[in-house]
Short mmCIF file of all heavy atoms in Angstrom, two decimals:
data_model
loop_
_atom_site.label_atom_id
_atom_site.label_comp_id
_atom_site.label_asym_id
_atom_site.label_seq_id
_atom_site.Cartn_x
_atom_site.Cartn_y
_atom_site.Cartn_z
N ARG D 109 147.20 244.90 235.17
CA ARG D 109 147.68 243.91 234.20
C ARG D 109 149.04 243.34 234.57
O ARG D 109 149.89 244.06 235.07
CB ARG D 109 147.81 244.57 232.83
CG ARG D 109 146.48 244.77 232.19
CD ARG D 109 146.56 245.72 231.01
NE ARG D 109 145.23 245.94 230.51
CZ ARG D 109 144.73 245.32 229.44
NH1 ARG D 109 145.48 244.51 228.73
NH2 ARG D 109 143.49 245.54 229.07
N LEU D 110 149.21 242.06 234.26
CA LEU D 110 150.54 241.46 234.29
C LEU D 110 150.90 241.11 232.86
O LEU D 110 150.03 240.75 232.06
CB LEU D 110 150.53 240.17 235.12
CG LEU D 110 150.26 240.29 236.62
CD1 LEU D 110 150.35 238.92 237.28
CD2 LEU D 110 151.26 241.25 237.27
N ASP D 111 152.21 241.20 232.54
CA ASP D 111 152.66 240.82 231.20
C ASP D 111 152.35 239.35 230.96
O ASP D 111 152.23 238.56 231.90
CB ASP D 111 154.17 241.04 231.06
CG ASP D 111 154.54 242.51 231.20
OD1 ASP D 111 153.67 243.37 230.99
OD2 ASP D 111 155.72 242.78 231.52
N THR D 114 154.64 237.13 232.83
CA THR D 114 154.69 237.31 234.29
C THR D 114 153.66 236.36 234.92
O THR D 114 152.59 236.16 234.36
CB THR D 114 154.33 238.77 234.67
OG1 THR D 114 155.26 239.64 234.03
CG2 THR D 114 154.37 238.99 236.16
N TYR D 141 156.31 242.12 244.11
CA TYR D 141 156.73 241.15 243.10
C TYR D 141 158.03 240.50 243.54
O TYR D 141 158.87 241.15 244.16
CB TYR D 141 157.02 241.85 241.77
CG TYR D 141 155.86 242.56 241.14
CD1 TYR D 141 155.48 243.83 241.58
CD2 TYR D 141 155.14 241.97 240.09
CE1 TYR D 141 154.42 244.49 240.99
CE2 TYR D 141 154.08 242.64 239.50
CZ TYR D 141 153.72 243.89 239.95
OH TYR D 141 152.68 244.55 239.36
N LEU D 185 155.98 248.08 244.85
CA LEU D 185 155.65 249.31 244.11
C LEU D 185 154.29 249.84 244.55
O LEU D 185 153.42 249.07 244.94
CB LEU D 185 155.56 249.02 242.60
CG LEU D 185 156.79 248.45 241.89
CD1 LEU D 185 156.46 248.24 240.41
CD2 LEU D 185 157.97 249.39 242.03
N LYS D 189 153.33 251.28 236.04
CA LYS D 189 153.53 251.68 234.63
C LYS D 189 153.75 250.42 233.79
O LYS D 189 154.21 249.38 234.30
CB LYS D 189 154.76 252.59 234.51
CG LYS D 189 154.69 253.82 235.37
CD LYS D 189 153.69 254.82 234.83
CE LYS D 189 153.57 256.00 235.75
NZ LYS D 189 152.29 256.69 235.64
N TYR D 190 153.48 250.56 232.52
CA TYR D 190 153.60 249.45 231.58
C TYR D 190 155.04 248.89 231.60
O TYR D 190 156.00 249.64 231.45
CB TYR D 190 153.25 249.98 230.20
CG TYR D 190 153.12 248.94 229.12
CD1 TYR D 190 152.25 247.85 229.27
CD2 TYR D 190 153.86 249.04 227.94
CE1 TYR D 190 152.13 246.90 228.27
CE2 TYR D 190 153.73 248.10 226.94
CZ TYR D 190 152.86 247.03 227.12
OH TYR D 190 152.74 246.10 226.12
N HIS D 191 155.19 247.59 231.83
CA HIS D 191 156.50 246.91 231.89
C HIS D 191 157.43 247.54 232.93
O HIS D 191 158.66 247.52 232.77
CB HIS D 191 157.22 246.98 230.54
CG HIS D 191 156.55 246.21 229.45
ND1 HIS D 191 155.82 245.06 229.67
CD2 HIS D 191 156.53 246.40 228.11
CE1 HIS D 191 155.36 244.61 228.51
NE2 HIS D 191 155.77 245.41 227.55
N GLN D 192 156.86 248.10 234.00
CA GLN D 192 157.68 248.92 234.91
C GLN D 192 158.92 248.21 235.46
O GLN D 192 160.01 248.76 235.45
CB GLN D 192 156.80 249.42 236.08
CG GLN D 192 157.62 250.25 237.06
CD GLN D 192 156.77 251.16 237.92
OE1 GLN D 192 155.60 251.37 237.61
NE2 GLN D 192 157.34 251.70 238.97
N ILE D 193 158.73 247.00 235.96
CA ILE D 193 159.87 246.34 236.63
C ILE D 193 160.94 245.97 235.60
O ILE D 193 162.14 246.15 235.84
CB ILE D 193 159.38 245.13 237.45
CG1 ILE D 193 158.45 245.66 238.54
CG2 ILE D 193 160.55 244.35 238.04
CD1 ILE D 193 157.69 244.60 239.30
N LYS D 194 160.52 245.49 234.46
CA LYS D 194 161.50 245.14 233.41
C LYS D 194 162.28 246.39 232.99
O LYS D 194 163.50 246.36 232.83
CB LYS D 194 160.80 244.51 232.21
CG LYS D 194 160.25 243.14 232.55
CD LYS D 194 159.42 242.58 231.43
CE LYS D 194 158.78 241.27 231.88
NZ LYS D 194 157.62 240.91 231.08
N LEU D 195 161.55 247.49 232.85
CA LEU D 195 162.23 248.74 232.45
C LEU D 195 163.14 249.25 233.56
O LEU D 195 164.24 249.74 233.31
CB LEU D 195 161.19 249.81 232.08
CG LEU D 195 160.37 249.50 230.82
CD1 LEU D 195 159.24 250.52 230.65
CD2 LEU D 195 161.25 249.50 229.57
N LEU D 207 159.51 236.90 236.74
CA LEU D 207 158.76 237.92 237.48
C LEU D 207 157.42 237.34 237.94
O LEU D 207 156.70 236.74 237.13
CB LEU D 207 158.51 239.13 236.57
CG LEU D 207 157.83 240.35 237.17
CD1 LEU D 207 158.60 240.91 238.37
CD2 LEU D 207 157.67 241.44 236.11
N1 URA P 309 156.28 245.09 235.74
C1 URA P 309 156.59 244.44 234.59
O1 URA P 309 157.60 244.73 233.95
N2 URA P 309 155.77 243.48 234.18
C2 URA P 309 154.66 243.08 234.86
O2 URA P 309 153.97 242.16 234.43
C3 URA P 309 154.36 243.77 236.05
C4 URA P 309 155.18 244.77 236.47
#
Side-chain angles (χ1 to χ4, degrees):
R109 285 166 184 260
L110 294 182
D111 297 338
T114 301
Y141 298 80
L185 301 180
K189 304 287 176 205
Y190 189 55
H191 293 329
Q192 179 159 346
I193 297 170
K194 291 173 186 160
L195 293 172
L207 184 58

